[in-house]
Amino acid sequence: TPASVHEFSTRPFPEKIPHFDYDSKMKVLKVTQNGAIRWKAYNWVYLSASLQGKHIGALDIGNGIWRVFYRNVFLGYFDEHVFRKKEQSVRLETNLV
């Protein structure tokens, strides 16, 4: 039977995920229910619905381009100059070249 051949994992799985502190150079933002972050009051940057309620870190690399991280995982880039008008949204890019 499956129970006779099953082996329990030796890898520890914590009940609660430990708190993560972003670098002080990063702007920390909370992902909303729709999977986006609000940027400078009127603009939205869509990340992922799987990140809703989580905090992400945005690091300015110059010239209006930001690198976005969830904990220590790099998610992508966005350019804040792409916002042309109020309430326009953009998606995260993995490559800006």
XYZ file of all heavy atoms in Angstrom:
809
model
N 0.848 -1.183 0.000
C 0.000 0.000 0.000
C 0.893 1.246 0.000
O 2.063 1.163 0.382
C -0.903 0.027 1.246
O -0.092 0.129 2.392
C -1.797 -1.210 1.307
N 0.358 2.398 -0.397
C 1.158 3.627 -0.382
C 1.707 3.961 0.999
O 2.827 4.453 1.125
C 0.182 4.694 -0.860
C -0.810 3.954 -1.685
C -0.941 2.604 -1.035
N 0.968 3.690 2.041
C 1.425 4.010 3.389
C 2.638 3.172 3.793
O 3.475 3.616 4.574
C 0.299 3.802 4.389
N 2.770 1.992 3.227
C 3.902 1.139 3.594
C 5.208 1.583 2.945
O 6.282 1.275 3.437
C 3.603 -0.320 3.219
O 3.515 -0.434 1.807
N 5.144 2.337 1.829
C 6.364 2.784 1.159
C 6.626 4.278 1.353
O 7.674 4.776 0.949
C 6.318 2.467 -0.354
C 6.303 0.970 -0.587
C 5.133 3.132 -1.019
N 5.708 4.991 1.976
C 5.867 6.436 2.168
C 6.950 6.739 3.192
O 7.041 6.101 4.236
C 4.551 7.060 2.636
C 4.663 8.517 2.925
N 4.782 9.467 1.948
C 4.701 9.190 4.112
C 4.881 10.660 2.509
N 4.831 10.520 3.828
N 7.813 7.715 2.863
C 8.834 8.165 3.803
C 8.603 9.648 4.088
O 8.434 10.441 3.163
C 10.229 7.977 3.213
C 10.603 6.534 3.004
C 11.993 6.387 2.426
O 12.785 7.351 2.501
O 12.280 5.305 1.892
N 8.619 10.019 5.355
C 8.430 11.407 5.738
C 9.668 12.218 5.394
O 10.797 11.732 5.482
C 8.114 11.524 7.231
C 6.726 11.051 7.577
C 6.516 9.778 8.071
C 5.649 11.889 7.388
C 5.242 9.343 8.369
C 4.364 11.460 7.687
C 4.160 10.189 8.180
N 9.466 13.460 5.001
C 10.555 14.347 4.634
C 11.379 14.730 5.853
O 10.842 14.950 6.946
C 9.999 15.617 3.982
O 11.023 16.533 3.750
N 12.700 14.824 5.661
C 13.570 15.270 6.746
C 13.749 16.781 6.718
O 14.324 17.364 7.623
C 14.955 14.606 6.636
O 15.507 14.923 5.355
C 14.845 13.105 6.786
N 13.256 17.420 5.662
C 13.364 18.870 5.515
C 12.366 19.561 6.448
O 11.171 19.253 6.420
C 13.069 19.241 4.060
C 13.211 20.691 3.758
C 12.984 20.930 2.287
N 12.971 22.350 2.018
C 12.680 22.876 0.860
N 12.388 22.109 -0.161
N 12.683 24.168 0.696
N 12.839 20.525 7.249
C 11.910 21.202 8.160
C 11.029 22.222 7.422
O 11.514 22.981 6.584
C 12.835 21.914 9.148
C 14.093 22.135 8.388
C 14.212 20.977 7.429
N 9.760 22.211 7.702
C 8.822 23.173 7.145
C 8.234 23.971 8.298
O 7.449 23.445 9.083
C 7.701 22.461 6.370
C 8.167 21.855 5.087
C 8.491 20.516 5.006
C 8.293 22.638 3.949
C 8.928 19.967 3.825
C 8.728 22.095 2.763
C 9.050 20.754 2.694
N 8.615 25.261 8.415
C 8.112 26.057 9.541
C 6.617 26.330 9.402
O 6.096 26.470 8.294
C 8.913 27.351 9.443
C 9.330 27.446 8.020
C 9.492 26.022 7.539
N 5.945 26.388 10.523
C 4.517 26.698 10.528
C 4.259 28.126 10.072
O 3.273 28.408 9.413
C 3.934 26.493 11.929
C 3.881 25.048 12.358
C 2.885 24.245 11.540
O 1.811 24.764 11.213
O 3.205 23.086 11.230
N 5.164 29.040 10.431
C 5.004 30.442 10.086
C 6.239 30.904 9.312
O 7.368 30.609 9.697
C 4.839 31.279 11.358
C 4.459 32.699 11.111
C 4.169 33.415 12.408
C 3.770 34.849 12.109
N 3.524 35.604 13.312
N 6.027 31.621 8.207
C 7.133 32.123 7.402
C 7.811 33.254 8.163
O 7.138 34.164 8.652
C 6.634 32.611 6.036
C 6.035 31.437 5.257
C 7.750 33.258 5.232
C 5.368 31.823 3.967
N 9.147 33.230 8.261
C 9.833 34.286 9.017
C 9.691 35.656 8.363
O 9.550 35.771 7.147
C 11.298 33.834 9.024
C 11.416 32.813 7.967
C 10.057 32.240 7.737
N 9.729 36.688 9.193
C 9.622 38.066 8.723
C 10.839 38.413 7.871
O 11.944 37.979 8.154
C 9.512 39.012 9.916
C 9.361 40.446 9.530
N 8.204 40.936 8.951
C 10.209 41.484 9.615
C 8.372 42.227 8.701
N 9.582 42.583 9.101
N 10.623 39.203 6.820
C 11.714 39.589 5.924
C 11.827 41.112 5.913
O 10.841 41.808 5.731
C 11.437 39.088 4.502
C 12.558 39.331 3.549
C 13.635 38.470 3.497
C 12.557 40.429 2.711
C 14.682 38.676 2.625
C 13.595 40.661 1.833
C 14.664 39.782 1.792
N 13.036 41.626 6.095
C 13.286 43.061 6.052
C 13.997 43.415 4.752
O 15.040 42.836 4.432
C 14.156 43.501 7.229
C 13.412 43.417 8.545
O 12.201 43.695 8.554
O 14.046 43.076 9.559
N 13.425 44.365 4.012
C 14.048 44.829 2.781
C 15.171 45.810 3.104
O 15.190 46.426 4.163
C 13.011 45.510 1.881
C 12.059 44.529 1.252
C 10.792 44.320 1.772
C 12.428 43.811 0.125
C 9.917 43.416 1.202
C 11.564 42.905 -0.461
C 10.313 42.709 0.078
O 9.457 41.815 -0.486
N 16.091 45.956 2.164
C 17.188 46.899 2.296
C 16.629 48.312 2.461
O 15.574 48.646 1.907
C 18.060 46.819 1.035
C 19.358 47.567 1.190
O 19.314 48.810 1.106
O 20.389 46.914 1.382
N 17.324 49.157 3.190
C 16.838 50.517 3.456
C 16.790 51.376 2.187
O 16.098 52.390 2.152
C 17.701 51.189 4.509
O 19.035 51.293 4.052
N 17.503 50.995 1.133
C 17.479 51.733 -0.135
C 16.221 51.456 -0.939
O 15.917 52.164 -1.891
C 18.694 51.365 -0.987
C 20.017 51.664 -0.347
C 21.141 51.146 -1.218
C 22.406 50.998 -0.408
N 23.406 50.197 -1.108
N 15.495 50.406 -0.582
C 14.310 50.003 -1.343
C 13.057 50.707 -0.847
O 12.908 50.999 0.333
C 14.093 48.497 -1.249
C 15.094 47.678 -1.969
S 14.582 45.960 -1.929
C 15.833 45.243 -2.935
N 12.153 50.938 -1.789
C 10.827 51.453 -1.465
C 9.926 50.226 -1.284
O 9.804 49.406 -2.203
C 10.337 52.335 -2.607
C 9.041 53.002 -2.352
C 8.727 53.980 -3.468
C 7.477 54.753 -3.128
N 7.227 55.813 -4.077
N 9.345 50.068 -0.114
C 8.521 48.899 0.183
C 7.055 49.245 -0.066
O 6.546 50.239 0.460
C 8.733 48.432 1.643
C 7.860 47.237 1.948
C 10.202 48.111 1.879
N 6.386 48.422 -0.863
C 4.990 48.650 -1.234
C 4.186 47.373 -1.034
O 4.700 46.271 -1.214
C 4.904 49.074 -2.708
C 5.682 50.327 -3.064
C 5.906 50.397 -4.562
C 4.948 51.539 -2.586
N 2.912 47.543 -0.709
C 2.032 46.394 -0.528
C 1.254 46.128 -1.807
O 0.698 47.047 -2.417
C 1.066 46.641 0.630
C 0.256 45.429 0.995
C -0.545 45.663 2.252
C -1.303 44.405 2.627
N -2.052 44.602 3.866
N 1.184 44.862 -2.207
C 0.442 44.459 -3.404
C -1.041 44.379 -3.039
O -1.417 43.781 -2.040
C 0.948 43.098 -3.936
C 0.188 42.692 -5.184
C 2.438 43.163 -4.227
N -1.889 44.999 -3.864
C -3.323 45.063 -3.581
C -4.032 43.762 -3.950
O -3.431 42.833 -4.465
C -3.972 46.224 -4.356
O -3.783 45.998 -5.750
C -3.358 47.553 -3.959
N -5.338 43.726 -3.719
C -6.158 42.542 -3.996
C -6.147 42.135 -5.466
O -6.337 40.972 -5.788
C -7.611 42.806 -3.573
C -7.794 42.940 -2.088
C -7.733 41.612 -1.380
O -8.024 40.579 -1.956
N -7.337 41.631 -0.122
N -5.934 43.107 -6.369
C -5.933 42.771 -7.797
C -4.545 42.411 -8.320
O -4.363 42.216 -9.510
C -6.530 43.915 -8.624
C -5.729 45.185 -8.532
O -4.743 45.259 -7.809
N -6.138 46.205 -9.266
N -3.521 42.336 -7.443
C -2.183 41.927 -7.853
C -1.309 43.051 -8.369
O -0.309 42.810 -9.025
N -1.670 44.306 -8.083
C -0.911 45.458 -8.568
C -0.443 46.305 -7.389
O -0.933 46.167 -6.275
C -1.779 46.309 -9.502
N 0.523 47.182 -7.672
C 0.954 48.161 -6.674
C 0.585 49.547 -7.178
O 0.586 49.796 -8.383
C 2.464 48.092 -6.387
C 3.291 48.241 -7.663
C 2.831 46.836 -5.633
C 4.775 48.413 -7.444
N 0.237 50.419 -6.259
C -0.058 51.805 -6.627
C 1.260 52.556 -6.671
O 2.076 52.463 -5.779
C -0.982 52.447 -5.610
C -1.358 53.870 -6.003
C -2.313 54.475 -5.009
N -3.644 53.939 -5.096
C -4.566 54.340 -5.973
N -4.266 55.279 -6.850
N -5.761 53.826 -5.977
N 1.450 53.314 -7.752
C 2.682 54.066 -7.923
C 2.378 55.544 -8.036
O 1.704 55.978 -8.958
C 3.424 53.580 -9.175
C 4.786 54.155 -9.275
C 5.186 55.162 -10.102
C 5.914 53.792 -8.509
N 6.502 55.437 -9.892
C 6.979 54.606 -8.908
C 6.139 52.858 -7.513
C 8.243 54.515 -8.358
C 7.387 52.760 -6.957
C 8.428 53.580 -7.390
N 2.871 56.323 -7.080
C 2.720 57.781 -7.049
C 1.265 58.236 -7.218
O 0.943 59.008 -8.102
C 3.628 58.433 -8.079
C 5.089 58.185 -7.768
C 5.990 59.041 -8.579
C 7.431 58.783 -8.171
N 8.374 59.533 -8.931
N 0.398 57.733 -6.411
C -0.993 58.151 -6.246
C -1.942 57.750 -7.368
O -3.025 57.286 -7.095
C -1.095 59.649 -5.985
N -1.595 57.916 -8.640
C -2.565 57.680 -9.706
C -2.250 56.481 -10.592
O -3.081 56.064 -11.374
C -2.671 58.913 -10.617
C -3.232 60.107 -9.911
C -2.443 61.195 -9.599
C -4.564 60.149 -9.537
C -2.947 62.300 -8.953
C -5.093 61.237 -8.882
C -4.284 62.305 -8.595
O -4.800 63.387 -7.944
N -1.059 55.943 -10.528
C -0.643 54.903 -11.474
C -0.591 53.532 -10.817
O -0.423 53.412 -9.614
C 0.744 55.249 -12.036
C 0.744 56.602 -12.703
O -0.092 56.885 -13.541
N 1.666 57.454 -12.312
N -0.721 52.503 -11.641
C -0.705 51.121 -11.176
C 0.333 50.331 -11.962
O 0.465 50.509 -13.167
C -2.068 50.464 -11.371
C -3.125 51.049 -10.515
C -3.970 52.058 -10.840
C -3.447 50.673 -9.182
N -4.803 52.334 -9.780
C -4.497 51.490 -8.766
C -2.939 49.714 -8.310
C -5.061 51.381 -7.501
C -3.501 49.607 -7.058
C -4.558 50.432 -6.652
N 1.033 49.443 -11.271
C 1.958 48.506 -11.910
C 1.473 47.108 -11.542
O 1.430 46.739 -10.367
C 3.408 48.701 -11.422
C 4.330 47.690 -12.087
C 3.878 50.114 -11.697
N 1.087 46.328 -12.559
C 0.590 44.974 -12.310
C 1.765 44.028 -12.103
O 2.689 43.980 -12.913
C -0.286 44.480 -13.459
C -0.810 43.102 -13.198
C -1.864 42.911 -12.310
C -0.232 41.998 -13.788
C -2.332 41.644 -12.033
C -0.698 40.723 -13.516
C -1.749 40.558 -12.638
O -2.196 39.298 -12.355
N 1.719 43.239 -11.015
C 2.757 42.252 -10.726
C 2.220 40.847 -10.944
O 2.516 40.199 -11.925
C 3.262 42.399 -9.291
C 3.858 43.749 -8.919
C 4.181 43.796 -7.446
C 5.081 44.019 -9.737
N 1.401 40.380 -10.002
C 0.838 39.039 -10.078
C -0.237 38.898 -9.012
O -0.065 39.388 -7.894
C 1.929 37.994 -9.841
O 1.364 36.717 -9.700
N -1.310 38.211 -9.337
C -2.369 37.989 -8.362
C -1.888 37.099 -7.222
O -2.427 37.146 -6.116
C -3.583 37.368 -9.039
N -0.848 36.311 -7.463
C -0.337 35.435 -6.411
C 0.398 36.207 -5.315
O 0.667 35.664 -4.252
C 0.597 34.382 -7.010
O 1.691 35.001 -7.622
N 0.734 37.473 -5.557
C 1.415 38.295 -4.557
C 0.470 39.187 -3.755
O 0.932 40.012 -2.965
C 2.464 39.179 -5.235
C 3.691 38.472 -5.778
C 4.546 39.446 -6.570
C 4.489 37.849 -4.657
N -0.832 39.044 -3.931
C -1.758 39.946 -3.249
C -1.602 39.861 -1.730
O -1.459 38.794 -1.158
C -3.195 39.673 -3.660
C -3.738 38.323 -3.298
C -5.121 38.108 -3.879
O -5.630 38.926 -4.621
N -5.726 36.996 -3.546
N -1.540 41.053 -1.128
C -1.369 41.159 0.310
C 0.075 41.095 0.788
O 0.355 41.313 1.945
N 1.007 40.794 -0.113
C 2.424 40.702 0.244
C 3.109 42.058 0.046
O 2.601 42.927 -0.635
C 3.136 39.670 -0.629
C 2.482 38.320 -0.668
C 2.836 37.527 0.546
C 2.465 36.078 0.388
N 1.281 35.679 1.053
N 4.279 42.222 0.635
C 5.074 43.435 0.460
C 6.210 43.156 -0.515
O 6.871 42.118 -0.427
C 5.638 43.902 1.795
C 4.590 44.482 2.681
N 3.834 43.713 3.534
C 4.165 45.745 2.824
C 2.995 44.496 4.179
N 3.170 45.740 3.770
N 6.437 44.081 -1.436
C 7.532 43.962 -2.397
C 8.484 45.129 -2.185
O 8.122 46.132 -1.576
C 7.019 43.921 -3.863
C 6.213 45.174 -4.231
C 6.176 42.688 -4.098
C 6.997 46.180 -4.978
N 9.695 44.998 -2.708
C 10.687 46.061 -2.628
C 11.023 46.562 -4.020
O 11.224 45.759 -4.936
N 11.052 47.885 -4.200
C 11.410 48.492 -5.487
C 12.701 49.282 -5.286
O 12.795 50.120 -4.403
C 10.296 49.400 -5.982
N 13.684 48.995 -6.133
C 15.002 49.618 -6.031
C 15.233 50.494 -7.253
O 15.179 50.020 -8.383
C 16.088 48.547 -5.947
C 17.521 49.023 -5.827
C 17.732 49.783 -4.524
C 18.469 47.832 -5.896
N 15.473 51.791 -7.023
C 15.722 52.743 -8.111
C 17.135 52.527 -8.638
O 18.105 52.640 -7.901
C 15.564 54.169 -7.596
C 15.674 55.213 -8.684
O 15.679 54.850 -9.872
O 15.764 56.406 -8.333
N 17.241 52.214 -9.948
C 18.567 52.029 -10.528
C 18.955 53.214 -11.404
O 19.966 53.177 -12.083
C 18.678 50.705 -11.320
C 17.671 50.621 -12.450
C 18.539 49.532 -10.380
C 17.858 49.411 -13.335
N 18.142 54.266 -11.361
C 18.456 55.487 -12.086
C 17.608 55.684 -13.322
O 17.094 54.732 -13.904
N 17.455 56.957 -13.707
C 16.737 57.336 -14.917
C 15.286 56.838 -14.931
O 14.738 56.546 -15.984
C 17.484 56.850 -16.154
C 17.179 57.710 -17.360
O 16.737 58.836 -17.223
N 17.426 57.168 -18.535
N 14.673 56.719 -13.755
C 13.267 56.325 -13.667
C 13.008 54.844 -13.816
O 11.864 54.425 -13.916
N 14.040 54.018 -13.820
C 13.871 52.574 -13.946
C 14.019 51.944 -12.564
O 14.931 52.259 -11.813
C 14.884 51.983 -14.943
C 14.635 52.581 -16.319
C 14.783 50.456 -14.981
C 15.616 52.165 -17.373
N 13.094 51.057 -12.247
C 13.049 50.419 -10.931
C 13.132 48.906 -11.076
O 12.501 48.330 -11.961
C 11.747 50.784 -10.222
C 11.653 52.230 -9.876
C 11.364 53.262 -10.723
C 11.859 52.813 -8.600
N 11.376 54.441 -10.043
C 11.671 54.205 -8.736
C 12.173 52.299 -7.347
C 11.790 55.074 -7.667
C 12.289 53.164 -6.290
C 12.099 54.538 -6.446
N 13.916 48.279 -10.207
C 13.976 46.816 -10.112
C 13.031 46.400 -8.999
O 13.024 46.990 -7.934
C 15.382 46.347 -9.768
C 16.382 46.625 -10.840
C 17.737 46.107 -10.464
N 17.718 44.666 -10.689
C 18.650 43.833 -10.256
N 19.675 44.286 -9.565
N 18.571 42.545 -10.504
N 12.245 45.356 -9.233
C 11.239 44.919 -8.261
C 11.605 43.536 -7.730
O 11.922 42.631 -8.499
C 9.839 44.909 -8.903
C 8.787 44.455 -7.912
C 9.494 46.292 -9.432
N 11.526 43.393 -6.403
C 11.861 42.143 -5.726
C 10.730 41.716 -4.808
O 10.054 42.556 -4.219
C 13.105 42.321 -4.845
C 14.361 42.594 -5.602
C 14.719 43.885 -5.930
C 15.193 41.560 -5.977
C 15.881 44.148 -6.613
C 16.364 41.804 -6.668
C 16.713 43.103 -6.990
N 10.531 40.414 -4.684
C 9.735 39.859 -3.593
C 10.728 39.090 -2.732
O 11.318 38.109 -3.178
C 8.628 38.930 -4.071
C 7.943 38.253 -2.908
C 7.206 38.995 -2.005
C 8.071 36.892 -2.698
C 6.605 38.393 -0.918
C 7.466 36.283 -1.615
C 6.732 37.040 -0.732
O 6.137 36.449 0.357
N 10.953 39.589 -1.532
C 12.007 39.097 -0.652
C 13.334 39.192 -1.391
O 13.724 40.266 -1.779
C 11.699 37.701 -0.137
C 10.480 37.710 0.781
C 10.193 36.346 1.345
N 9.144 36.437 2.330
C 9.316 36.156 3.608
N 10.479 35.770 4.046
N 8.306 36.252 4.446
N 14.035 38.105 -1.646
C 15.294 38.200 -2.379
C 15.172 37.692 -3.820
O 16.163 37.473 -4.494
C 16.405 37.433 -1.646
C 16.063 35.980 -1.450
O 14.957 35.560 -1.724
N 16.998 35.209 -0.960
N 13.946 37.548 -4.317
C 13.694 37.067 -5.678
C 13.413 38.259 -6.590
O 12.492 39.041 -6.354
C 12.500 36.091 -5.707
C 12.205 35.632 -7.125
C 12.757 34.912 -4.799
N 14.215 38.397 -7.638
C 14.030 39.469 -8.609
C 12.835 39.147 -9.497
O 12.760 38.086 -10.100
C 15.301 39.610 -9.459
C 15.159 40.555 -10.608
C 14.962 41.902 -10.395
C 15.218 40.084 -11.907
C 14.834 42.779 -11.457
C 15.090 40.940 -12.969
C 14.895 42.290 -12.742
N 11.879 40.086 -9.592
C 10.671 39.879 -10.390
C 10.747 40.531 -11.766
O 10.231 40.004 -12.733
C 9.443 40.421 -9.652
C 9.134 39.789 -8.296
C 7.958 40.494 -7.655
C 8.870 38.305 -8.450
N 11.339 41.720 -11.839
C 11.426 42.409 -13.120
C 11.660 43.895 -12.942
O 11.960 44.370 -11.853
N 11.528 44.631 -14.047
C 11.746 46.073 -14.087
C 10.455 46.793 -14.455
O 9.591 46.209 -15.094
C 12.753 46.442 -15.177
C 14.119 45.868 -15.037
C 14.475 44.693 -15.686
C 15.079 46.517 -14.286
C 15.745 44.174 -15.585
C 16.369 46.005 -14.177
C 16.692 44.833 -14.833
O 17.946 44.326 -14.728
N 10.384 48.074 -14.113
C 9.395 48.947 -14.733
C 9.979 50.342 -14.836
O 10.839 50.744 -14.070
C 8.031 48.926 -14.014
C 7.976 49.700 -12.735
C 7.590 51.031 -12.736
C 8.269 49.093 -11.537
C 7.517 51.737 -11.558
C 8.194 49.781 -10.348
C 7.824 51.116 -10.355
N 9.519 51.066 -15.848
C 9.984 52.420 -16.125
C 8.865 53.376 -15.739
O 7.772 53.325 -16.299
C 10.317 52.547 -17.613
C 10.928 53.890 -17.975
O 10.978 54.787 -17.116
O 11.354 54.026 -19.132
N 9.142 54.257 -14.770
C 8.089 55.165 -14.301
C 7.754 56.238 -15.329
O 6.733 56.907 -15.212
C 8.467 55.793 -12.969
C 9.616 56.734 -13.017
C 9.954 57.305 -11.649
O 9.307 56.954 -10.656
O 10.871 58.122 -11.585
N 8.559 56.415 -16.360
C 8.273 57.401 -17.402
C 7.271 56.889 -18.439
O 6.824 57.646 -19.292
C 9.558 57.837 -18.099
C 10.544 58.475 -17.167
N 10.259 59.620 -16.452
C 11.787 58.109 -16.796
C 11.296 59.944 -15.703
N 12.244 59.031 -15.884
N 6.933 55.613 -18.357
C 5.967 55.029 -19.297
C 4.554 55.514 -18.994
O 3.709 55.586 -19.868
C 6.039 53.487 -19.253
C 4.932 52.843 -20.049
C 7.395 53.018 -19.756
N 4.298 55.889 -17.740
C 2.978 56.387 -17.378
C 2.730 57.711 -18.105
O 3.384 58.701 -17.831
C 2.875 56.619 -15.870
C 3.202 55.410 -15.055
C 4.268 55.418 -14.179
C 2.437 54.275 -15.155
C 4.569 54.319 -13.413
C 2.731 53.160 -14.391
C 3.796 53.180 -13.520
N 1.805 57.747 -19.028
C 1.558 58.953 -19.827
C 0.402 59.786 -19.288
O 0.359 60.980 -19.464
C 1.279 58.563 -21.269
C 2.481 57.953 -21.925
C 2.212 57.669 -23.388
N 3.197 56.721 -23.852
C 2.942 55.450 -24.114
N 1.730 54.984 -24.001
N 3.903 54.642 -24.492
N -0.568 59.136 -18.692
C -1.732 59.862 -18.197
C -2.210 59.240 -16.890
O -1.753 58.169 -16.505
C -2.852 59.857 -19.230
C -3.329 58.461 -19.598
C -4.388 58.508 -20.666
C -4.852 57.080 -20.972
N -5.880 57.028 -21.951
N -3.127 59.910 -16.216
C -3.667 59.423 -14.954
C -4.300 58.052 -15.125
O -4.911 57.765 -16.152
C -4.742 60.370 -14.439
C -4.240 61.492 -13.612
C -5.436 62.220 -13.051
C -5.014 63.252 -12.059
N -6.158 63.926 -11.483
N -4.167 57.251 -14.087
C -4.834 55.962 -13.985
C -4.489 55.004 -15.114
O -5.286 54.173 -15.507
C -6.342 56.148 -13.872
C -6.728 56.965 -12.665
C -8.209 57.236 -12.602
O -8.965 56.623 -13.348
O -8.587 58.088 -11.797
N -3.307 55.097 -15.665
C -2.855 54.132 -16.661
C -2.032 53.072 -15.928
O -1.295 53.388 -15.015
C -1.987 54.794 -17.724
C -1.497 53.817 -18.773
C -0.660 54.510 -19.830
O -0.569 55.737 -19.836
N -0.074 53.744 -20.697
N -2.161 51.835 -16.332
C -1.389 50.774 -15.670
C -0.392 50.174 -16.643
O -0.571 50.246 -17.852
C -2.326 49.676 -15.156
O -3.001 49.079 -16.229
N 0.660 49.609 -16.107
C 1.675 48.919 -16.913
C 1.964 47.583 -16.272
O 1.644 47.345 -15.118
C 2.989 49.731 -17.028
C 2.766 51.033 -17.758
C 3.610 49.964 -15.688
N 2.589 46.711 -17.026
C 3.017 45.418 -16.498
C 4.501 45.432 -16.262
O 5.236 46.168 -16.897
C 2.662 44.289 -17.473
C 1.191 44.016 -17.532
C 0.921 42.809 -18.411
N -0.468 42.473 -18.385
C -1.005 41.570 -17.584
N -0.261 40.939 -16.726
N -2.279 41.331 -17.613
N 4.934 44.573 -15.384
C 6.350 44.428 -15.086
C 7.063 43.819 -16.286
O 6.534 42.920 -16.937
C 6.482 43.489 -13.879
C 7.645 43.692 -12.961
C 7.638 45.106 -12.408
C 7.599 42.702 -11.838
N 8.252 44.292 -16.598
C 9.050 43.771 -17.706
C 10.209 42.985 -17.140
O 10.790 43.356 -16.126
C 9.607 44.926 -18.536
C 8.568 45.875 -19.060
C 8.159 45.572 -20.479
O 8.856 44.806 -21.131
O 7.148 46.104 -20.903
N 10.613 41.928 -17.823
C 11.790 41.180 -17.388
C 13.037 41.676 -18.108
O 14.142 41.405 -17.682
C 11.629 39.676 -17.642
O 11.297 39.472 -19.003
C 10.563 39.100 -16.740
N 12.856 42.421 -19.190
C 13.995 42.919 -19.941
C 13.642 44.274 -20.543
O 12.675 44.393 -21.282
C 14.352 41.926 -21.056
C 15.651 42.252 -21.728
O 16.287 43.257 -21.411
N 16.047 41.422 -22.647
N 14.409 45.295 -20.242
C 14.133 46.640 -20.773
C 15.046 47.013 -21.929
O 15.041 48.141 -22.372
C 14.261 47.683 -19.664
C 13.116 47.733 -18.674
C 13.382 48.766 -17.612
C 11.808 48.021 -19.365
N 15.840 46.093 -22.423
C 16.779 46.400 -23.500
C 16.082 46.301 -24.838
O 15.272 45.514 -25.111
C 17.990 45.453 -23.463
C 18.945 45.759 -24.585
C 18.663 45.551 -22.129
